[in-house]
Amino acid sequence: MANEELAAIFAEMADILEILDQDRFRVGSYRRAARVLADTTEDIAALAAEGKLQKLPGIGKSTAEKIEEYFRTGKITRHEELRKQIPLGLLEMLTIQGMGPKTVAKLWKQAGITSLDQLRKVIEENPSKLEKIEGLGSKKLTQLAESITFAEKVSGRFRLDEAGAVANNLCQVVKSCKGAKRVEVAGSLRRQRETVGDIDILCEASEKYAQQIIKTFTEARGVTKVLAAGGTKGSVIVNHRIQVDLRVVPSESFGAALQYFTGSKAHNIALREIAVKKGLKLNEYGLFKHDAPDGAKPLAGRTEEEIYAALGLQWIPPELREDRGEIAAAAEGKLPDLIRLEDIQGDLHMHTTASDGANTVEEMILACKKLGYKYMAITDHSKSQIQANGLDEQRLADHVAEIRSAAKKYKDILVLAGIEVDIFKDGSLDFSDDILKELDFVVASPHTALTQGRAEATKRLIKAIENPYVHAIGHPTGRMINQRTGMDIDIVKIAQAAAANNTALEVNAHPWRLDLRDVHIRTAIEAGAKLVITTDAHSAFGGSDLTLMHYGVKTARRGWATAEDVINTYSPAKLKKWLKR
DNA sequence: GCCGTTTTCGGCCCGACTGTTTTCAGTCG
């Protein structure tokens, strides 16, 4: 995908410039451009062709020219030139914790080390070679060696379910400490990004308890390494895998610290720039007058709300804090009224023992009732999903009869008889229209041929969207987080087709999927498409179950979704009407 | 390299922790 390739190129140029110790503001500009390019669902090639690249924030004349060159020639001359100026192995060295551009440059220029492999060998076999380098003592070398080993074992980012479990355990440990008041998760986990790199925990406590709380934290069960343990901050590795940072802050700064450590970094920078323009200074202790002396009383800091208010902004929900336009919206009082878990009235994608689920139709009905749902749809797999025990026409007929019979027993929940029908690679479906039209709810999903190209994949999904008997497209890209990227789709075209045909696009809530993803959701809404948030549950409770809904809701919030955008917030009557559309 | 209802030039966010510094640089978030 061009967006990601371009983002990678600008990020790499920033890295190289940093190693070469060039203008740090230019480095910052390249990094911002990289982030904006990675975030946007706009068709960059089209913008380039129309000369409209500069409407993207952070893209100016020079960057626009580079992007245009990329589409014209397939490369960026400045990028190629920069790559010739350093050994490319340095870029890999830069990814190691504790090693930044200055250290990489020193190792390269003073010791001739140009790759991670080489560095590891030198530290192991001949560390005296590095002694002459200023700033690299034995402790630093040990730390670097450990970081290299750690990087080999651990793959970058963690899914929300993995990180959430670790965070909950450690929050309990911190909460149990003497003097600990509020304990909150911050960072990308609070923003509910689809993956998180590390976990940030914040604890409200007075200064006299801080040291002991940090100590208890660094000695918690599961901690396999202590990276730092200061007076207000502790940092550990849990289970040899994931880094967890704890900050202990006093009550009067708790809101400021929560805001600060929730990020994102880009959001915070934008916020602090607003503060500066107002003659103020924002840090993790509060909002101050620009020239306030140390120890001055903050203008705001106890809660996040008062900080945003003092900056002239609506409070911004964490899921929106990505510097994707939320600050301008908050300044105008135009933030969306985001969907909440309580808005969800039913689940419209789930499986039973009829295909590959663990529970019967009636068990799923009881589980949905227990969650307070007013309606539900049972959507087992279609016949080509042989490995998932997909239903053929005859078994489907029996299954539907069973659902309708069970539904009659439960008057207080509307039970829809549905199917998750496979979308083949050409966009045709696993059942004929004659079969589909007899069903109450049809989710059409791609399960195979997930590596086809963008144009083909887009055409495929649009064909399914245009089928009059299809109500929703299930996990539209088929991606599995940290496992497979799924299909590259033209979300604008797909959303336009979905809006025109009144077909909903699924936000699959399973933390392994989260598909559609946040930026797709936002684009889909802007194009007028409706969403349906579902769990794709394969059991009633305990595992891949109906309670995963909150992940989908939070992902939808990250896509700026309101309840009105999501069909399973409708009342039963409104939903019934929508189904007959 | 970007950006502008104080600027088209001259700014560009802020602090903790570590290691090796005898007063601070580098890294991180």
Side-chain angles (χ1 to χ4, degrees), chain A residues 161 356-359 363-364 367-368 370-371 510-512 535-551:
Chain A
D161 53 329
D356 61 348
N359 291 91
E363 285 165 346
M364 294 308 279
C368 283
K370 203 166 172 184
L371 291 171
H510 201 293
W512 295 12
T535 61
D536 197 354
H538 280 69
S539 62
F541 287 107
S544 292
D545 65 25
L546 297 158
T547 64
L548 300 175
M549 186 64 82
H550 64 100
Y551 290 113

PDB file of all heavy atoms in Angstrom, chain A residues 161 356-359 363-364 367-368 370-371 510-512 535-551:
ATOM      1  N   ASP A 161      -6.142  -7.700  24.261  1.00  0.00           N
ATOM      2  CA  ASP A 161      -6.503  -8.702  25.267  1.00  0.00           C
ATOM      3  C   ASP A 161      -5.265  -9.147  26.050  1.00  0.00           C
ATOM      4  O   ASP A 161      -5.323  -9.332  27.271  1.00  0.00           O
ATOM      5  CB  ASP A 161      -7.211  -9.903  24.624  1.00  0.00           C
ATOM      6  CG  ASP A 161      -6.443 -10.514  23.465  1.00  0.00           C
ATOM      7  OD1 ASP A 161      -5.726  -9.766  22.768  1.00  0.00           O
ATOM      8  OD2 ASP A 161      -6.536 -11.735  23.257  1.00  0.00           O
ATOM      9  N   ASP A 356     -19.276 -24.194  13.930  1.00  0.00           N
ATOM     10  CA  ASP A 356     -18.076 -24.390  14.761  1.00  0.00           C
ATOM     11  C   ASP A 356     -18.165 -23.711  16.135  1.00  0.00           C
ATOM     12  O   ASP A 356     -17.149 -23.473  16.778  1.00  0.00           O
ATOM     13  CB  ASP A 356     -16.829 -23.895  14.021  1.00  0.00           C
ATOM     14  CG  ASP A 356     -16.882 -22.403  13.679  1.00  0.00           C
ATOM     15  OD1 ASP A 356     -17.985 -21.810  13.809  1.00  0.00           O
ATOM     16  OD2 ASP A 356     -15.854 -21.847  13.288  1.00  0.00           O
ATOM     17  N   GLY A 357     -19.376 -23.407  16.587  1.00  0.00           N
ATOM     18  CA  GLY A 357     -19.516 -22.818  17.920  1.00  0.00           C
ATOM     19  C   GLY A 357     -19.520 -23.884  19.006  1.00  0.00           C
ATOM     20  O   GLY A 357     -19.627 -25.078  18.723  1.00  0.00           O
ATOM     21  N   ALA A 358     -19.408 -23.435  20.254  1.00  0.00           N
ATOM     22  CA  ALA A 358     -19.319 -24.372  21.373  1.00  0.00           C
ATOM     23  C   ALA A 358     -20.660 -24.589  22.069  1.00  0.00           C
ATOM     24  O   ALA A 358     -20.801 -25.513  22.870  1.00  0.00           O
ATOM     25  CB  ALA A 358     -18.297 -23.869  22.388  1.00  0.00           C
ATOM     26  N   ASN A 359     -21.638 -23.702  21.781  1.00  0.00           N
ATOM     27  CA  ASN A 359     -22.905 -23.788  22.509  1.00  0.00           C
ATOM     28  C   ASN A 359     -24.092 -23.917  21.559  1.00  0.00           C
ATOM     29  O   ASN A 359     -24.003 -23.565  20.384  1.00  0.00           O
ATOM     30  CB  ASN A 359     -23.084 -22.547  23.384  1.00  0.00           C
ATOM     31  CG  ASN A 359     -22.085 -22.526  24.524  1.00  0.00           C
ATOM     32  OD1 ASN A 359     -20.988 -21.976  24.406  1.00  0.00           O
ATOM     33  ND2 ASN A 359     -22.441 -23.164  25.621  1.00  0.00           N
ATOM     34  N   GLU A 363     -28.622 -22.079  24.309  1.00  0.00           N
ATOM     35  CA  GLU A 363     -27.603 -21.541  25.228  1.00  0.00           C
ATOM     36  C   GLU A 363     -27.177 -20.138  24.811  1.00  0.00           C
ATOM     37  O   GLU A 363     -26.950 -19.260  25.653  1.00  0.00           O
ATOM     38  CB  GLU A 363     -26.391 -22.481  25.275  1.00  0.00           C
ATOM     39  CG  GLU A 363     -26.662 -23.738  26.096  1.00  0.00           C
ATOM     40  CD  GLU A 363     -25.626 -24.850  25.875  1.00  0.00           C
ATOM     41  OE1 GLU A 363     -24.850 -24.768  24.903  1.00  0.00           O
ATOM     42  OE2 GLU A 363     -25.618 -25.802  26.668  1.00  0.00           O
ATOM     43  N   MET A 364     -27.092 -19.918  23.511  1.00  0.00           N
ATOM     44  CA  MET A 364     -26.712 -18.574  23.042  1.00  0.00           C
ATOM     45  C   MET A 364     -27.839 -17.574  23.328  1.00  0.00           C
ATOM     46  O   MET A 364     -27.586 -16.420  23.690  1.00  0.00           O
ATOM     47  CB  MET A 364     -26.386 -18.592  21.538  1.00  0.00           C
ATOM     48  CG  MET A 364     -25.147 -19.409  21.155  1.00  0.00           C
ATOM     49  SD  MET A 364     -23.638 -18.998  22.073  1.00  0.00           S
ATOM     50  CE  MET A 364     -23.067 -17.540  21.200  1.00  0.00           C
ATOM     51  N   ALA A 367     -27.620 -16.641  26.917  1.00  0.00           N
ATOM     52  CA  ALA A 367     -26.471 -15.768  27.175  1.00  0.00           C
ATOM     53  C   ALA A 367     -26.770 -14.336  26.734  1.00  0.00           C
ATOM     54  O   ALA A 367     -26.424 -13.372  27.416  1.00  0.00           O
ATOM     55  CB  ALA A 367     -25.233 -16.308  26.452  1.00  0.00           C
ATOM     56  N   CYS A 368     -27.445 -14.191  25.598  1.00  0.00           N
ATOM     57  CA  CYS A 368     -27.791 -12.847  25.116  1.00  0.00           C
ATOM     58  C   CYS A 368     -28.807 -12.185  26.040  1.00  0.00           C
ATOM     59  O   CYS A 368     -28.727 -10.974  26.298  1.00  0.00           O
ATOM     60  CB  CYS A 368     -28.354 -12.917  23.695  1.00  0.00           C
ATOM     61  SG  CYS A 368     -27.080 -13.164  22.443  1.00  0.00           S
ATOM     62  N   LYS A 370     -29.037 -12.702  29.164  1.00  0.00           N
ATOM     63  CA  LYS A 370     -28.309 -12.333  30.371  1.00  0.00           C
ATOM     64  C   LYS A 370     -27.587 -10.994  30.202  1.00  0.00           C
ATOM     65  O   LYS A 370     -27.411 -10.241  31.156  1.00  0.00           O
ATOM     66  CB  LYS A 370     -27.297 -13.443  30.695  1.00  0.00           C
ATOM     67  CG  LYS A 370     -26.875 -13.480  32.147  1.00  0.00           C
ATOM     68  CD  LYS A 370     -26.151 -14.782  32.456  1.00  0.00           C
ATOM     69  CE  LYS A 370     -25.565 -14.730  33.861  1.00  0.00           C
ATOM     70  NZ  LYS A 370     -24.775 -15.934  34.163  1.00  0.00           N
ATOM     71  N   LEU A 371     -27.162 -10.702  28.978  1.00  0.00           N
ATOM     72  CA  LEU A 371     -26.497  -9.423  28.714  1.00  0.00           C
ATOM     73  C   LEU A 371     -27.509  -8.295  28.540  1.00  0.00           C
ATOM     74  O   LEU A 371     -27.127  -7.145  28.321  1.00  0.00           O
ATOM     75  CB  LEU A 371     -25.628  -9.538  27.458  1.00  0.00           C
ATOM     76  CG  LEU A 371     -24.385 -10.425  27.597  1.00  0.00           C
ATOM     77  CD1 LEU A 371     -23.716 -10.636  26.243  1.00  0.00           C
ATOM     78  CD2 LEU A 371     -23.387  -9.821  28.582  1.00  0.00           C
ATOM     79  N   HIS A 510     -13.811  -8.951  17.963  1.00  0.00           N
ATOM     80  CA  HIS A 510     -12.795  -9.866  18.501  1.00  0.00           C
ATOM     81  C   HIS A 510     -11.437  -9.177  18.523  1.00  0.00           C
ATOM     82  O   HIS A 510     -11.015  -8.622  17.508  1.00  0.00           O
ATOM     83  CB  HIS A 510     -12.727 -11.149  17.663  1.00  0.00           C
ATOM     84  CG  HIS A 510     -12.109 -12.265  18.424  1.00  0.00           C
ATOM     85  ND1 HIS A 510     -10.788 -12.261  18.809  1.00  0.00           N
ATOM     86  CD2 HIS A 510     -12.633 -13.422  18.922  1.00  0.00           C
ATOM     87  CE1 HIS A 510     -10.524 -13.363  19.490  1.00  0.00           C
ATOM     88  NE2 HIS A 510     -11.631 -14.085  19.581  1.00  0.00           N
ATOM     89  N   PRO A 511     -10.750  -9.197  19.683  1.00  0.00           N
ATOM     90  CA  PRO A 511      -9.481  -8.456  19.788  1.00  0.00           C
ATOM     91  C   PRO A 511      -8.395  -8.988  18.850  1.00  0.00           C
ATOM     92  O   PRO A 511      -7.378  -8.324  18.665  1.00  0.00           O
ATOM     93  CB  PRO A 511      -9.086  -8.617  21.253  1.00  0.00           C
ATOM     94  CG  PRO A 511      -9.849  -9.795  21.743  1.00  0.00           C
ATOM     95  CD  PRO A 511     -11.119  -9.828  20.956  1.00  0.00           C
ATOM     96  N   TRP A 512      -8.598 -10.142  18.272  1.00  0.00           N
ATOM     97  CA  TRP A 512      -7.655 -10.630  17.263  1.00  0.00           C
ATOM     98  C   TRP A 512      -7.941 -10.013  15.906  1.00  0.00           C
ATOM     99  O   TRP A 512      -7.105 -10.045  15.004  1.00  0.00           O
ATOM    100  CB  TRP A 512      -7.743 -12.152  17.124  1.00  0.00           C
ATOM    101  CG  TRP A 512      -7.320 -12.905  18.338  1.00  0.00           C
ATOM    102  CD1 TRP A 512      -7.102 -12.403  19.595  1.00  0.00           C
ATOM    103  CD2 TRP A 512      -7.077 -14.310  18.429  1.00  0.00           C
ATOM    104  NE1 TRP A 512      -6.747 -13.408  20.441  1.00  0.00           N
ATOM    105  CE2 TRP A 512      -6.722 -14.586  19.770  1.00  0.00           C
ATOM    106  CE3 TRP A 512      -7.134 -15.365  17.502  1.00  0.00           C
ATOM    107  CZ2 TRP A 512      -6.419 -15.876  20.199  1.00  0.00           C
ATOM    108  CZ3 TRP A 512      -6.833 -16.643  17.935  1.00  0.00           C
ATOM    109  CH2 TRP A 512      -6.477 -16.900  19.266  1.00  0.00           C
ATOM    110  N   THR A 535     -19.669  -9.535  17.932  1.00  0.00           N
ATOM    111  CA  THR A 535     -18.556 -10.259  18.573  1.00  0.00           C
ATOM    112  C   THR A 535     -18.079 -11.455  17.758  1.00  0.00           C
ATOM    113  O   THR A 535     -16.997 -11.966  18.004  1.00  0.00           O
ATOM    114  CB  THR A 535     -18.966 -10.793  19.955  1.00  0.00           C
ATOM    115  OG1 THR A 535     -20.052 -11.710  19.794  1.00  0.00           O
ATOM    116  CG2 THR A 535     -19.347  -9.652  20.879  1.00  0.00           C
ATOM    117  N   ASP A 536     -18.922 -11.944  16.799  1.00  0.00           N
ATOM    118  CA  ASP A 536     -18.524 -13.159  16.092  1.00  0.00           C
ATOM    119  C   ASP A 536     -18.280 -14.268  17.130  1.00  0.00           C
ATOM    120  O   ASP A 536     -17.360 -15.079  16.990  1.00  0.00           O
ATOM    121  CB  ASP A 536     -17.237 -12.876  15.289  1.00  0.00           C
ATOM    122  CG  ASP A 536     -16.964 -13.910  14.217  1.00  0.00           C
ATOM    123  OD1 ASP A 536     -17.702 -14.911  14.155  1.00  0.00           O
ATOM    124  OD2 ASP A 536     -15.993 -13.715  13.469  1.00  0.00           O
ATOM    125  N   ALA A 537     -19.109 -14.282  18.188  1.00  0.00           N
ATOM    126  CA  ALA A 537     -18.880 -15.206  19.312  1.00  0.00           C
ATOM    127  C   ALA A 537     -18.949 -16.663  18.853  1.00  0.00           C
ATOM    128  O   ALA A 537     -19.790 -17.034  18.047  1.00  0.00           O
ATOM    129  CB  ALA A 537     -19.906 -14.956  20.407  1.00  0.00           C
ATOM    130  N   HIS A 538     -18.046 -17.455  19.392  1.00  0.00           N
ATOM    131  CA  HIS A 538     -18.063 -18.889  19.130  1.00  0.00           C
ATOM    132  C   HIS A 538     -18.410 -19.671  20.390  1.00  0.00           C
ATOM    133  O   HIS A 538     -18.336 -20.896  20.419  1.00  0.00           O
ATOM    134  CB  HIS A 538     -16.722 -19.349  18.541  1.00  0.00           C
ATOM    135  CG  HIS A 538     -16.610 -19.066  17.071  1.00  0.00           C
ATOM    136  ND1 HIS A 538     -16.514 -17.771  16.569  1.00  0.00           N
ATOM    137  CD2 HIS A 538     -16.606 -19.888  15.984  1.00  0.00           C
ATOM    138  CE1 HIS A 538     -16.438 -17.822  15.239  1.00  0.00           C
ATOM    139  NE2 HIS A 538     -16.493 -19.086  14.860  1.00  0.00           N
ATOM    140  N   SER A 539     -18.731 -18.942  21.469  1.00  0.00           N
ATOM    141  CA  SER A 539     -19.217 -19.611  22.683  1.00  0.00           C
ATOM    142  C   SER A 539     -20.065 -18.622  23.475  1.00  0.00           C
ATOM    143  O   SER A 539     -20.049 -17.409  23.198  1.00  0.00           O
ATOM    144  CB  SER A 539     -18.055 -20.129  23.527  1.00  0.00           C
ATOM    145  OG  SER A 539     -17.250 -19.053  23.959  1.00  0.00           O
ATOM    146  N   ALA A 540     -20.810 -19.136  24.452  1.00  0.00           N
ATOM    147  CA  ALA A 540     -21.726 -18.284  25.208  1.00  0.00           C
ATOM    148  C   ALA A 540     -20.954 -17.426  26.205  1.00  0.00           C
ATOM    149  O   ALA A 540     -21.154 -16.222  26.300  1.00  0.00           O
ATOM    150  CB  ALA A 540     -22.764 -19.135  25.929  1.00  0.00           C
ATOM    151  N   PHE A 541     -20.083 -18.055  26.940  1.00  0.00           N
ATOM    152  CA  PHE A 541     -19.249 -17.321  27.898  1.00  0.00           C
ATOM    153  C   PHE A 541     -17.899 -18.024  28.019  1.00  0.00           C
ATOM    154  O   PHE A 541     -17.798 -19.231  27.787  1.00  0.00           O
ATOM    155  CB  PHE A 541     -19.923 -17.267  29.282  1.00  0.00           C
ATOM    156  CG  PHE A 541     -21.096 -16.345  29.321  1.00  0.00           C
ATOM    157  CD1 PHE A 541     -22.387 -16.859  29.382  1.00  0.00           C
ATOM    158  CD2 PHE A 541     -20.933 -14.964  29.263  1.00  0.00           C
ATOM    159  CE1 PHE A 541     -23.475 -16.015  29.400  1.00  0.00           C
ATOM    160  CE2 PHE A 541     -22.023 -14.119  29.285  1.00  0.00           C
ATOM    161  CZ  PHE A 541     -23.300 -14.649  29.356  1.00  0.00           C
ATOM    162  N   GLY A 542     -16.892 -17.268  28.359  1.00  0.00           N
ATOM    163  CA  GLY A 542     -15.596 -17.874  28.642  1.00  0.00           C
ATOM    164  C   GLY A 542     -14.761 -18.101  27.407  1.00  0.00           C
ATOM    165  O   GLY A 542     -14.636 -19.221  26.923  1.00  0.00           O
ATOM    166  N   GLY A 543     -14.170 -17.044  26.881  1.00  0.00           N
ATOM    167  CA  GLY A 543     -13.290 -17.196  25.731  1.00  0.00           C
ATOM    168  C   GLY A 543     -13.743 -16.300  24.605  1.00  0.00           C
ATOM    169  O   GLY A 543     -13.976 -15.118  24.816  1.00  0.00           O
ATOM    170  N   SER A 544     -13.857 -16.848  23.416  1.00  0.00           N
ATOM    171  CA  SER A 544     -14.284 -16.051  22.265  1.00  0.00           C
ATOM    172  C   SER A 544     -15.791 -15.870  22.336  1.00  0.00           C
ATOM    173  O   SER A 544     -16.535 -16.476  21.579  1.00  0.00           O
ATOM    174  CB  SER A 544     -13.879 -16.752  20.975  1.00  0.00           C
ATOM    175  OG  SER A 544     -12.487 -16.738  20.850  1.00  0.00           O
ATOM    176  N   ASP A 545     -16.219 -15.012  23.253  1.00  0.00           N
ATOM    177  CA  ASP A 545     -17.642 -15.003  23.575  1.00  0.00           C
ATOM    178  C   ASP A 545     -18.298 -13.654  23.359  1.00  0.00           C
ATOM    179  O   ASP A 545     -17.705 -12.711  22.823  1.00  0.00           O
ATOM    180  CB  ASP A 545     -17.853 -15.495  25.009  1.00  0.00           C
ATOM    181  CG  ASP A 545     -17.236 -14.551  26.029  1.00  0.00           C
ATOM    182  OD1 ASP A 545     -17.071 -13.359  25.724  1.00  0.00           O
ATOM    183  OD2 ASP A 545     -16.931 -15.009  27.137  1.00  0.00           O
ATOM    184  N   LEU A 546     -19.533 -13.567  23.804  1.00  0.00           N
ATOM    185  CA  LEU A 546     -20.346 -12.367  23.598  1.00  0.00           C
ATOM    186  C   LEU A 546     -19.847 -11.158  24.366  1.00  0.00           C
ATOM    187  O   LEU A 546     -20.209 -10.027  24.043  1.00  0.00           O
ATOM    188  CB  LEU A 546     -21.791 -12.683  24.031  1.00  0.00           C
ATOM    189  CG  LEU A 546     -22.487 -13.783  23.221  1.00  0.00           C
ATOM    190  CD1 LEU A 546     -23.635 -14.389  24.024  1.00  0.00           C
ATOM    191  CD2 LEU A 546     -23.000 -13.229  21.905  1.00  0.00           C
ATOM    192  N   THR A 547     -19.019 -11.361  25.368  1.00  0.00           N
ATOM    193  CA  THR A 547     -18.571 -10.234  26.200  1.00  0.00           C
ATOM    194  C   THR A 547     -17.406  -9.464  25.571  1.00  0.00           C
ATOM    195  O   THR A 547     -16.892  -8.524  26.164  1.00  0.00           O
ATOM    196  CB  THR A 547     -18.142 -10.703  27.599  1.00  0.00           C
ATOM    197  OG1 THR A 547     -17.014 -11.564  27.456  1.00  0.00           O
ATOM    198  CG2 THR A 547     -19.267 -11.441  28.297  1.00  0.00           C
ATOM    199  N   LEU A 548     -16.995  -9.867  24.373  1.00  0.00           N
ATOM    200  CA  LEU A 548     -15.917  -9.121  23.706  1.00  0.00           C
ATOM    201  C   LEU A 548     -16.428  -7.813  23.080  1.00  0.00           C
ATOM    202  O   LEU A 548     -15.647  -7.044  22.533  1.00  0.00           O
ATOM    203  CB  LEU A 548     -15.277  -9.974  22.604  1.00  0.00           C
ATOM    204  CG  LEU A 548     -14.647 -11.290  23.060  1.00  0.00           C
ATOM    205  CD1 LEU A 548     -14.169 -12.085  21.839  1.00  0.00           C
ATOM    206  CD2 LEU A 548     -13.486 -11.039  24.011  1.00  0.00           C
ATOM    207  N   MET A 549     -17.712  -7.576  23.174  1.00  0.00           N
ATOM    208  CA  MET A 549     -18.340  -6.424  22.509  1.00  0.00           C
ATOM    209  C   MET A 549     -17.620  -5.096  22.785  1.00  0.00           C
ATOM    210  O   MET A 549     -17.506  -4.242  21.903  1.00  0.00           O
ATOM    211  CB  MET A 549     -19.813  -6.320  22.941  1.00  0.00           C
ATOM    212  CG  MET A 549     -20.614  -5.255  22.224  1.00  0.00           C
ATOM    213  SD  MET A 549     -20.801  -5.535  20.452  1.00  0.00           S
ATOM    214  CE  MET A 549     -22.165  -6.711  20.406  1.00  0.00           C
ATOM    215  N   HIS A 550     -17.113  -4.936  23.998  1.00  0.00           N
ATOM    216  CA  HIS A 550     -16.510  -3.644  24.353  1.00  0.00           C
ATOM    217  C   HIS A 550     -15.308  -3.308  23.478  1.00  0.00           C
ATOM    218  O   HIS A 550     -15.052  -2.139  23.188  1.00  0.00           O
ATOM    219  CB  HIS A 550     -16.118  -3.617  25.843  1.00  0.00           C
ATOM    220  CG  HIS A 550     -15.049  -4.598  26.216  1.00  0.00           C
ATOM    221  ND1 HIS A 550     -13.732  -4.228  26.368  1.00  0.00           N
ATOM    222  CD2 HIS A 550     -15.097  -5.937  26.442  1.00  0.00           C
ATOM    223  CE1 HIS A 550     -13.022  -5.303  26.696  1.00  0.00           C
ATOM    224  NE2 HIS A 550     -13.818  -6.347  26.747  1.00  0.00           N
ATOM    225  N   TYR A 551     -14.573  -4.315  23.025  1.00  0.00           N
ATOM    226  CA  TYR A 551     -13.435  -4.024  22.136  1.00  0.00           C
ATOM    227  C   TYR A 551     -13.927  -3.392  20.829  1.00  0.00           C
ATOM    228  O   TYR A 551     -13.294  -2.478  20.289  1.00  0.00           O
ATOM    229  CB  TYR A 551     -12.674  -5.306  21.793  1.00  0.00           C
ATOM    230  CG  TYR A 551     -11.894  -5.929  22.925  1.00  0.00           C
ATOM    231  CD1 TYR A 551     -12.277  -7.166  23.453  1.00  0.00           C
ATOM    232  CD2 TYR A 551     -10.765  -5.309  23.442  1.00  0.00           C
ATOM    233  CE1 TYR A 551     -11.551  -7.758  24.479  1.00  0.00           C
ATOM    234  CE2 TYR A 551     -10.038  -5.890  24.462  1.00  0.00           C
ATOM    235  CZ  TYR A 551     -10.430  -7.117  24.989  1.00  0.00           C
ATOM    236  OH  TYR A 551      -9.718  -7.707  25.991  1.00  0.00           O
TER     237      TYR A 551
END
